[in-house]
Amino acid sequence: MDSENIYQNVECRPIEDTTGPQTLSNGQDKGKDEKHRGSRCLVLMTVCLGLICVVLLIFIILITAERDLLKSYKNTAEELNQTINSLQDNYTDLMTEKDQLKNNFSSLSQKKLELETRVNDLTAEKGQLQRRVDSLSQEKLELERTVTSLGEELKEKSKQDVLFMSSELKSWSDSRQYCRDRGADLIIINTEVKQRYISSFTKERVWIGLSDIQNEGIMTWVDNSPLKQGFWYKTEPNNQDGDEDCVELMPSAPILNNWNDLPCSAKKKGICEK
């Protein structure tokens, strides 16, 4: 409340004399009244000043409280901003880490699929190998039975046939003559059993009774029978330089593929057969 308004509203002045001359008693009463009115005016002014002070104090307290509250709000807002910024940074880091983990997961999933595919392939390959092993085991058993049978057959055949080898290195024709001088001829190999048998004990390259001397390109045995089954080395016969008409057996080559044609003048030992 403004002090001027208070002063304007509350006027402390003596009451004018409007009645004319009065008595002494009336003068005393007037003095008391004026004194009473002065006291009331002083009390009223004191109360007004007290109210003004209270209002100012409240206003100051409110301003101070508001300022402190604003400062507190400002500090809280700054702390919240810092917290938000920190959370934003953490969120960004977490999103980056999430993307990395997602990429790693995708990579691991791809590797898992590749490994599963590889395991499946290896499992299938294992099955094939196992079947191959079983097949080879069966073939082994069959070969063992065949070898046993061939051994028995060769024993019986060796009792009937007489085989021997020339002791000197000679041409194909001379080796044949060596055999014929002894009542035999160069060996004829017309079965797989005989081919295996001859290859099993021959340790060096030897002539056999096969050539195309009489008809180029047509191989015949020394008994003039045509060749029906050959056991040629790879790429043979090739009649190299057009001068390879006689046939040798090479024990170093595979048993069923060890024949080779070469010039008949080459010096070899020969296998004779009666």
Side-chain angles (χ1 to χ4, degrees):
M1 181 181 294
D2 194 346
S3 61
E4 292 181 359
N5 294 329
I6 296 174
Y7 292 146
Q8 289 176 359
N9 295 328
V10 181
E11 293 182 359
C12 296
R13 63 172 181 267
I15 300 175
E16 296 180 355
D17 186 6
T18 57
T19 61
Q22 298 179 354
T23 60
L24 178 61
S25 177
N26 290 332
Q28 290 178 351
D29 292 334
K30 291 180 179 179
K32 289 180 181 180
D33 291 337
E34 291 178 355
K35 185 176 180 181
H36 182 69
R37 288 175 180 173
S39 298
R40 290 180 60 189
C41 182
L42 180 60
V43 171
L44 185 60
M45 290 178 65
T46 302
V47 171
C48 290
L49 289 174
L51 290 173
I52 291 171
C53 291
V54 170
V55 170
L56 290 174
L57 180 61
I58 293 172
F59 184 72
I60 292 170
I61 291 173
L62 291 175
I63 291 175
T64 302
E66 183 178 2
R67 184 179 62 185
D68 293 339
L69 185 61
L70 288 175
K71 185 176 181 181
S72 176
Y73 284 164
K74 183 177 180 181
N75 293 333
T76 302
E78 290 178 352
E79 291 177 356
L80 287 175
N81 287 332
Q82 292 177 356
T83 302
I84 291 172
N85 292 333
S86 177
L87 290 174
Q88 185 65 38
D89 293 338
N90 292 336
Y91 176 77
T92 302
D93 293 339
L94 288 173
M95 291 301 294
T96 302
E97 186 175 356
K98 175 187 174 182
D99 293 337
Q100 293 176 350
L101 290 174
K102 186 176 180 180
N103 293 333
N104 292 337
F105 178 77
S106 299
S107 178
L108 290 174
S109 298
Q110 183 64 30
K111 289 182 178 179
K112 177 186 176 183
L113 291 175
E114 292 176 356
L115 289 174
E116 288 177 349
T117 302
R118 181 59 178 163
V119 168
N120 293 333
D121 292 341
L122 289 175
T123 302
E125 186 176 352
K126 176 185 176 183
Q128 294 177 354
L129 291 174
Q130 185 62 47
R131 288 191 293 271
R132 180 60 178 164
V133 168
D134 295 339
S135 176
L136 290 174
S137 298
Q138 184 64 31
E139 290 180 6
K140 178 185 175 183
L141 292 175
E142 292 177 357
L143 287 174
E144 288 177 349
R145 288 193 294 267
T146 301
V147 168
T148 302
S149 176
L150 289 174
E152 294 175 355
E153 184 178 347
L154 288 173
K155 287 180 181 178
E156 293 296 326
K157 190 171 182 61
S158 63
K159 295 178 181 178
Q160 301 174 3
D161 298 336
V162 177
L163 303 177
F164 58 93
M165 185 180 298
S166 61
S167 59
E168 299 177 0
L169 299 176
K170 298 177 181 293
S171 66
W172 186 86
S173 297
D174 290 342
S175 293
R176 184 184 182 191
Q177 187 60 47
Y178 175 88
C179 295
R180 297 180 71 177
D181 291 342
R182 289 160 178 76
D185 207 337
L186 288 175
I187 190 169
I188 296 174
I189 304 175
N190 49 14
T191 65
E192 181 179 330
V193 173
K194 198 170 185 179
Q195 168 68 18
R196 289 180 180 276
Y197 176 66
I198 300 302
S199 298
S200 66
F201 70 80
T202 303
K203 304 302 182 184
E204 56 186 312
R205 298 168 69 164
V206 294
W207 291 120
I208 61 176
L210 184 65
S211 71
D212 62 352
I213 295 175
Q214 295 180 359
N215 295 298
E216 180 65 34
I218 300 176
M219 292 288 179
T220 56
W221 295 104
V222 290
D223 64 354
N224 294 321
S225 63
L227 175 64
K228 294 181 180 180
Q229 181 181 10
F231 303 97
W232 298 101
Y233 187 66
K234 56 184 179 180
T235 72
E236 300 295 341
N238 59 8
N239 195 28
Q240 186 174 358
D241 298 328
D243 186 32
E244 293 187 338
D245 298 325
C246 296
V247 179
E248 67 168 341
L249 184 147
M250 303 181 298
S252 60
I255 290 178
L256 294 180
N257 301 98
N258 58 12
W259 290 3
N260 175 50
D261 63 338
L262 75 169
C264 297
S265 59
K267 304 298 183 181
K268 307 285 179 183
K269 293 181 180 181
I271 297 181
C272 300
E273 177 183 34
K274 286 186 179 183

